[in-house]
Amino acid sequence: MCHHPNKHWFEENSTACEICDWINQIPQIPTGYRLRCERCGHLLYSHYPQLALQLWLNSAIAVIMFILSFCFSFLGFASNGVERHISLIECIVNLSVEHHPLLGIIVTLPLIVFPFLYLCFVILLLLMIKSHQQLPLRLYGMVHLLESLKPWLMVDVFLLGALVAIVKLQSLAQIELGHSFWAFCCFALLLIRIVSLVDKRWFWNQLKGKSEEITYHHGTARSQQLTGCQFCGALVPHNEKSCPRCHHLIHSRKKNSLSKTCALLCAASILYIPANLYPIMITTFLGQAEPSTIIGGIILLWEMHSYPVALVILAASIIVPLAKILSLFWLCWNTKFKTHIPPAKKQKIYHITEFVGKWSMVDVFVVAILAALVQLGTLMNIIPGRAALSFSFVVILTMLAAFSFDPRLIWDVQEKHDAPEQ
């Protein structure tokens, strides 16, 4: 952290790290610099140049690309003189109406509904900041949702699924990329950029101003009878049940974090078995049905010499869910017993586990695209198998397990065992 004269300073004077609970003093941060926790290195605040303007431009173009994604053909498919083109909305409707309504909802929410809501919230908040309006109490939940929706935005995962589907179909038919496909690619890139720019602490400072100053000393918030608000970063006295600035319920540690995490992991472990045993999709060619499991699909891609794609599916659909379940179980166990592994390394494992979770949805998106595109009557059809729904719930449950786990417990166990030695 460097100190240079700059007129765009962050308004807070201190905040508690949401990962390790360490209280960090916020110095004058020059534009373009980042502030990381001095204890665990977690990113606390990024000071982007002309942040509001960047968000405005990216959001405006993203809305245009989002609309164009539904106006034209998304993918085209031609085989033995039979052609079929689908739009993005047809892909969703086909899956919801003709096959699995619940699976259609699971695909629609992270692909269309959540990204649309996220963009709307960003634009509305920017309008309020520009007009210098006081944020009404009923709209506080909008800022909270902005942070909560972030992990469930899966437009990038869907694009990877589209590329895998194209590779799978290349040996069977001619594939055409429509105008909406390229518009959706632009939308995905812009949304990724917007998410990287959005900083919850910046939004709360712009909307509500500086939080009340709290006297503190070097150490964790909990050791000083303080609680760091997970949503706006303010330091709050321990006896307060909600944050005075953002009015969100606060907690020094997530209630029943370990029991909730373990329960969700147990449920995901049970569903992981049928997700791999049952077919994830069923291909009917000239009246003959051929079911395909996740492993079967990987083997087929390997035999087609699509080695990179086969490895991606192997990692996303087999290795990642299993590794995530085992990693979270291991982290839960480590919060009860001291090990020689430093907390920083455990924290890194947690961050990796949290980040890779949504990428396991790639196989579900592949099935959704193929089921919508390959509908050629008696010649060839693809429908989702029973494993598609089971696997979707495995991904959702492991993501929820990662969110319910409180990473501050990793550092608490270290302090607990270090205290007697000191």
Side-chain angles (χ1 to χ4, degrees):
M1 295 178 296
C2 299
H3 304 271
H4 300 290
N6 191 293
K7 63 180 181 179
H8 303 291
W9 305 119
F10 187 55
E11 294 185 16
E12 297 290 351
N13 66 334
S14 59
T15 189
C17 176
E18 58 197 25
I19 300 298
C20 72
D21 201 37
W22 195 260
I23 297 180
N24 290 262
Q25 182 181 2
I26 300 180
Q28 294 178 331
I29 306 172
T31 302
Y33 278 67
R34 292 181 171 188
L35 176 68
R36 293 187 178 273
C37 175
E38 63 181 46
R39 185 193 198 191
C40 70
H42 177 67
L43 181 64
L44 297 176
Y45 180 70
S46 298
H47 197 178
Y48 294 103
Q50 297 182 316
L51 179 56
L53 179 60
Q54 287 195 63
L55 285 172
W56 269 117
L57 291 175
N58 283 279
S59 299
I61 301 172
V63 168
I64 295 171
M65 292 297 109
F66 182 77
I67 295 170
L68 292 177
S69 298
F70 298 95
C71 295
F72 307 100
S73 170
F74 187 76
L75 284 175
F77 175 84
S79 177
N80 297 324
V82 181
E83 293 186 7
R84 178 173 170 80
H85 292 81
I86 60 164
S87 64
L88 189 58
I89 198 68
E90 282 179 314
C91 180
I92 303 300
V93 171
N94 187 284
L95 186 65
S96 302
V97 176
E98 297 185 22
H99 301 297
H100 286 286
L102 185 55
L103 190 62
I105 293 171
I106 291 172
V107 170
T108 305
L109 289 176
L111 181 62
I112 296 175
V113 178
F114 292 160
F116 176 73
L117 288 175
Y118 192 87
L119 276 178
C120 289
F121 292 162
V122 170
I123 292 170
L124 285 172
L125 290 171
L126 288 172
L127 284 171
M128 298 199 73
I129 291 171
K130 188 176 181 180
S131 60
H132 304 288
Q133 291 184 7
Q134 184 71 19
L135 185 67
L137 187 60
R138 65 180 180 275
L139 294 182
Y140 279 29
M142 184 169 64
V143 195
H144 300 148
L145 279 173
L146 198 65
E147 189 68 17
S148 301
L149 287 174
K150 192 182 294 185
W152 302 100
L153 306 176
M154 298 188 186
V155 291
D156 44 357
V157 184
F158 180 79
L159 275 183
L160 180 59
L163 294 175
V164 173
I166 290 167
V167 170
K168 282 191 171 186
L169 291 173
Q170 272 184 338
S171 61
L172 302 173
Q174 184 179 356
I175 304 300
E176 179 186 339
L177 304 179
H179 296 306
S180 286
F181 178 85
W182 299 112
F184 191 82
C185 288
C186 294
F187 167 69
L189 292 173
L190 287 165
L191 187 63
I192 292 169
R193 176 58 178 166
I194 292 167
V195 170
S196 69
L197 288 172
V198 168
D199 189 290
K200 60 186 179 183
R201 288 179 171 87
W202 180 83
F203 266 112
W204 281 112
N205 273 272
Q206 297 297 316
L207 292 165
K208 295 293 292 180
K210 190 174 180 180
S211 63
E212 184 181 349
E213 291 190 15
I214 299 288
T215 304
Y216 66 93
H217 57 78
H218 205 63
T220 62
R222 192 179 197 180
S223 65
Q224 303 170 59
Q225 298 298 305
L226 297 172
T227 303
C229 179
Q230 297 283 96
F231 279 85
C232 72
L235 283 175
V236 183
H238 192 66
N239 56 353
E240 296 281 353
K241 293 184 178 181
S242 62
C243 176
R245 180 163 65 162
C246 73
H247 293 273
H248 195 276
L249 293 176
I250 57 173
H251 33 69
S252 179
R253 299 295 181 268
K254 293 179 182 178
K255 190 177 180 181
N256 301 323
S257 171
L258 295 182
S259 57
K260 289 178 183 177
T261 302
C262 289
L264 290 166
L265 290 175
C266 288
S269 302
I270 294 169
L271 288 171
Y272 185 75
I273 298 171
N276 285 278
L277 290 179
Y278 289 110
I280 195 165
M281 69 179 183
I282 301 170
T283 304
T284 304
F285 185 69
L286 296 176
Q288 186 175 355
E290 184 180 339
S292 173
T293 61
I294 295 175
I295 293 291
I298 295 170
I299 293 171
L300 179 62
L301 285 168
W302 193 269
E303 290 174 349
M304 292 167 58
H305 304 290
S306 300
Y307 304 124
V309 179
L311 291 173
V312 167
I313 296 298
L314 175 65
S317 301
I318 302 295
I319 298 174
V320 168
L322 187 59
K324 189 170 183 178
I325 291 170
L326 294 175
S327 297
L328 287 172
F329 269 131
W330 179 81
L331 286 172
C332 289
W333 181 80
N334 269 268
T335 59
K336 292 294 184 182
F337 306 98
K338 183 179 183 296
T339 63
H340 296 293
I341 302 173
K345 288 189 177 180
K346 297 176 191 175
Q347 177 184 315
K348 188 173 290 186
I349 292 171
Y350 170 74
H351 282 313
I352 294 171
T353 302
E354 188 182 32
F355 172 75
V356 300
K358 70 175 185 178
W359 290 95
S360 297
M361 279 293 286
V362 64
D363 229 359
V364 177
F365 287 136
V366 170
V367 173
I369 294 168
L370 293 177
L373 187 60
V374 186
Q375 296 294 325
L376 303 179
T378 56
L379 178 62
M380 188 178 183
N381 287 292
I382 293 179
I383 61 172
R386 278 192 275 178
L389 195 58
S390 298
F391 190 77
S392 298
F393 279 116
V394 169
V395 178
I396 293 169
L397 288 171
T398 52
M399 289 180 69
L400 290 172
F403 302 148
S404 63
F405 180 80
D406 196 333
R408 291 172 291 190
L409 298 174
I410 295 173
W411 295 88
D412 287 348
V413 68
Q414 187 72 24
E415 288 182 8
K416 179 181 176 182
H417 288 277
D418 288 347
E421 298 174 9
Q422 294 174 1

